[in-house]
Structures are given as C-alpha cells and as structure tokens.
Amino acid sequence: MEKIWLNEAFKGEVPNDFHGKVGWASPSNIALVKYWGKKGKQLPQNPSISFTLSECRSETFIEFEKAEKFGFHFFFEGKENPAFGAKIEKFLLDNQVFFPFVNQLDLKVESRNTFPHSSGIASSASSMSAFVMCLMEIERSLSLSKGRPADMSIQKASYFSRLASGSAARSVFTKMALWGATPYYKGSSDEYAVSLADDIHSVFKTYHDSILIVSGETKSVSSRAGHALMEGNPYAPARYAQANENIKNLLLALKLGDLDTFINITESEALQLHALMMCSNPSFILMKPNTLNLINEIREFREETKIPLCFTLDAGPNVHLLYPEQEADKVEYYIKNVLADYCDRERWIADHVGDGPKKLL
Ligand code: PMV
C-alpha cells in the first residue's frame, strides 16, 4: 500500500497562483477492544475495534498558498498553539515522502473541537484525521489543477491518519472500524483500518455513548508514553493473546447482535487497559473514586433493570456509557437523576454512533 501512495504523491511544481482554503470535520472514536502497545512505525501490537462517534468532533481548516519554502502556523480555538502545532509539523516532516508538495506551501491551520476543552476527552483521533482529510483535499486540488486524477480514498486517509496517531486510523470510517491484522476479518491490516459497517447487526448502528465527565483534567500519562510502557510489561504477551481472542468473539457478537457477549468483552477490555497501566513500571492509576462509583452503579442498574447498558473507559477517568438507541429514554433519565451526581459539575456528553468525516468547505 505504502508504495501505491508513494507513487501517487503529487511531486511536481506547485503552480505560482495556487492558494485556497479547505475544511473538514472528523469525529472521535471509542475503542471497544483497545489498542495499547505499538511496534515499528505506528503499528499496533494487537487489533482494535471502535465505534465512530458523532458529536465529539474536530473541525479543521487549512489556508494554503504557494511559498518559497515550507511555512506552518497552527491555531487551536482561535489562539496560536505551538505545542500541538509542533506535533503536526513533525508528522508532516517525518512523512515528507507522502506529502512532498507541502515544501512549496505556506499553511495556516485552524482547528477547534465541538466538545469542551476541559472535558478530558482525547482529541488526537479526531484532530489528526481532520488534518489528514484537509491535506488530502489540498493534494486533490493540486492534482486537478494539473489535470491529473485525484484520489481521496478512505484507505489512504486511514493510513495517513494512523501515521499521525494510531487510533485516528479508525475515525475515518462510518459506524465501526477494525484496525490491525486479524485472521478473523478478511482484508484487515496493521497499516490502516477497515470499515465494519456492513458486518454489524442493526442494533449497533445507532448505539449511544454518553460520556460521563468524572474529571476534565488532562491525563497524567500521554498515550505515547503509555504504549511504550507495554514494552517492559510482563503481562504484555498474555494481553495480546487475550485481545486477539476478544477480537474474534466481538466480531461474531457484533454480527449477531449478541449484547451479552458485547457487554462482557467491552467491560473486560476497559478494565484490562487500566490494569495494564497499574502494573506497568512506572505505574499509573487513571481512574478516580467516582470512576469506580459509576462502574458499580452501572453494574447494579443493569442487574436490577436488565437494561443492556455497559461501560468502557479510555486512558483517563471518564466513563463511556454504551447502550442501544431503544433504551435511550430510560438510560438518559437514569443519567440525569443518578449518574450525573458522580460527574464533575454534573457534566456529561450525549453522543452516539456516527458517520465519519464531513467536508466543511
Ligand atoms: O492513538 P493513540 O496513540 O492516542 O492511542 C490510543 C489508545 C487508547 O485510546 C487508550 C485505546 C484506543 O484503541 O483508542
């Protein structure tokens, strides 16, 4: 794949009058089977599966014009943000072979998130995939200006997003995505994610994810450091074997609409992710007391009401409450009356499975 995209990269002279503005929105995603541990150039140690979200998005615009040399400015929510800008600039420089044309461009990037800044929700999946969509759009107009065919293939978008941030590879697909090679899914790859939209029961196509904000603080371990900690973790081999087993069983449960298996695997994966962090060296505890209170509440509520809701966690204290659309009224009533008390300033975000990136300009 790499070779095809290398050959396709726009390598010619950028026309002198080349300028414009592109814009894309791209969603965040929540993993059910987690990617935790990487190898090589941003390749996963095990496959992962996620829901693409809808309300939690990054909206990114790039203004570009022909320049003598590469110029880059990054603004986040109206203010220049050199720290985040440096991360994107590094991605561009490290992957120049794919985007050689940027060396002849001045880029002004503006990005914002639709979710609150202090919600503790990781934004690298949404922001990096939105950035990649914009970059591909610029290349597309360059190619068109030279009368060349232009490819906006979703696989290419996933491949480039992966190079920027592993989990971003999954954000470009509608409904659900699988990233990582597995014998249980034809066409799966470590290099890019694939869509699961045609292989899931209808109940999952409208699934809800209510994000219960336990703390809006930024995490105390970056995902880069977290992945690296897996290298010396004595439980790593067992973890990767278990993740592969979970992928096999979850793929079947998704197809059949088997909610019991879905719940079992999803909750076990969330707790495993945190268990791995706790037994790494140095170790991290990212759950807060209210994370555990919420988990206990959710499990009791499920037991009492038989409503098939469950939780998952990202690398932080916030709880993602997952449930079928048809239970939404009852669960939202329960959130407002019970679970919100455990949230930071009673904050929670009502999200649901969504349709992937959208062109804004
Ligand atoms: O994409 P990264 O490098 O930020 O890693 C994401 C890791 C988790 O969010 C914890 C799990 C996942 O699969 O999204």
Side-chain angles (χ1 to χ4, degrees):
M1 276 301 170
E2 176 155 323
K3 289 227 169 50
I4 301 177
W5 293 321
L6 275 177
N7 293 341
E8 273 178 7
F10 182 94
K11 298 184 194 83
E13 178 76 13
V14 172
N16 279 337
D17 60 351
F18 187 66
H19 70 281
K21 188 170 180 177
V22 292
W24 276 85
S26 190
S28 183
N29 68 75
I30 181 69
L32 305 170
V33 174
K34 310 290 182 181
Y35 148 59
W36 199 239
K38 58 170 116 175
K39 59 187 179 194
K41 200 175 172 193
Q42 291 273 94
L43 298 169
Q45 287 280 11
N46 66 264
S48 55
I49 289 179
S50 59
F51 277 134
T52 300
L53 297 180
S54 175
E55 301 304 311
C56 291
R57 298 184 304 275
S58 293
E59 296 176 344
T60 300
F61 298 86
I62 304 184
E63 252 181 276
F64 54 91
E65 64 178 348
K66 161 91 176 184
E68 286 303 308
K69 58 180 176 52
F70 175 55
F72 188 79
H73 290 278
F74 182 85
F75 294 81
F76 182 68
E77 284 168 3
K79 281 199 210 102
E80 187 145 20
N81 186 321
F84 202 67
K87 210 175 150 192
I88 298 192
E89 204 174 338
K90 182 173 181 321
F91 157 69
L92 282 177
L93 297 175
D94 287 353
N95 294 288
Q96 268 182 54
V97 282
F98 295 117
F99 321 112
F101 55 91
V102 298
N103 290 324
Q104 301 173 61
L105 290 177
D106 190 81
L107 304 178
K108 184 182 163 211
V109 186
E110 282 177 72
S111 193
R112 57 175 180 252
N113 293 337
T114 57
F115 43 97
H117 185 44
S118 62
S119 60
I121 298 177
S123 64
S124 67
S126 54
S127 59
M128 290 305 188
S129 53
F131 179 78
V132 162
M133 295 307 293
C134 287
L135 205 61
M136 285 175 56
E137 186 77 43
I138 295 175
E139 185 179 32
R140 202 173 89 94
S141 34
L142 253 177
S143 297
L144 292 175
S145 76
K146 296 266 179 169
R148 281 180 42 178
D151 173 32
M152 282 288 280
S153 105
I154 195 160
Q155 224 133 60
K156 180 169 159 182
S158 177
Y159 179 94
F160 290 156
S161 299
R162 178 208 106 217
L163 292 173
S165 166
S167 58
R170 301 184 307 242
S171 268
V172 297
F173 293 94
T174 183
K175 316 286 183 204
M176 295 197 79
L178 162 73
W179 172 41
T182 166
Y184 308 112
Y185 201 83
K186 201 163 168 259
S188 58
S189 168
D190 279 353
E191 298 196 9
Y192 47 82
V194 292
S195 171
L196 288 182
D198 292 336
D199 286 304
I200 57 174
H201 187 277
S202 58
V203 70
F204 296 113
K205 295 187 178 168
T206 53
Y207 233 65
H208 281 235
D209 176 6
S210 295
I211 308 166
L212 309 169
I213 312 292
V214 170
S215 165
E217 284 168 26
T218 37
K219 345 178 243 193
S220 58
V221 56
S222 69
S223 53
R224 180 200 298 217
H227 290 292
L229 285 175
M230 282 301 281
E231 278 159 35
N233 191 313
Y235 299 101
R239 158 62 194 160
Y240 300 142
Q242 172 103 69
N244 280 297
E245 194 60 21
N246 283 344
I247 287 283
K248 175 173 106 187
N249 295 330
L250 185 61
L251 281 169
L252 188 61
L254 291 172
K255 206 170 188 124
L256 300 177
D258 172 356
L259 293 183
D260 288 341
T261 305
F262 172 85
I263 289 171
N264 231 318
I265 295 175
T266 300
E267 293 195 348
S268 160
E269 277 285 323
L271 296 174
Q272 266 186 52
L273 172 70
H274 283 256
L276 288 164
M277 286 188 252
M278 286 193 241
C279 65
S280 295
N281 187 10
S283 104
F284 292 92
I285 302 180
L286 299 187
M287 288 189 276
K288 301 271 187 214
N290 275 343
T291 311
L292 290 174
N293 287 330
L294 282 166
I295 289 175
N296 288 332
E297 280 285 358
I298 291 162
R299 286 185 160 175
E300 265 173 41
F301 184 76
R302 182 169 68 227
E303 192 58 40
E304 275 165 25
T305 62
K306 308 293 174 215
I307 294 175
L309 81 184
C310 69
F311 68 85
T312 188
L313 306 166
D314 207 352
N318 300 328
V319 176
H320 289 247
L321 186 63
L322 304 173
Y323 49 93
E325 160 102 329
Q326 71 186 65
E327 308 289 356
D329 289 347
K330 280 182 246 161
V331 177
E332 280 166 22
Y333 181 83
Y334 169 60
I335 297 173
K336 285 178 198 147
N337 288 287
V338 179
L339 300 184
D341 286 347
Y342 296 101
C343 297
D344 175 32
R345 287 169 282 152
E346 303 201 353
R347 285 187 306 152
W348 60 284
I349 298 171
D351 211 336
H352 54 88
V353 168
D355 280 330
K358 284 193 182 64
K359 192 165 161 21
L360 298 174
L361 277 182

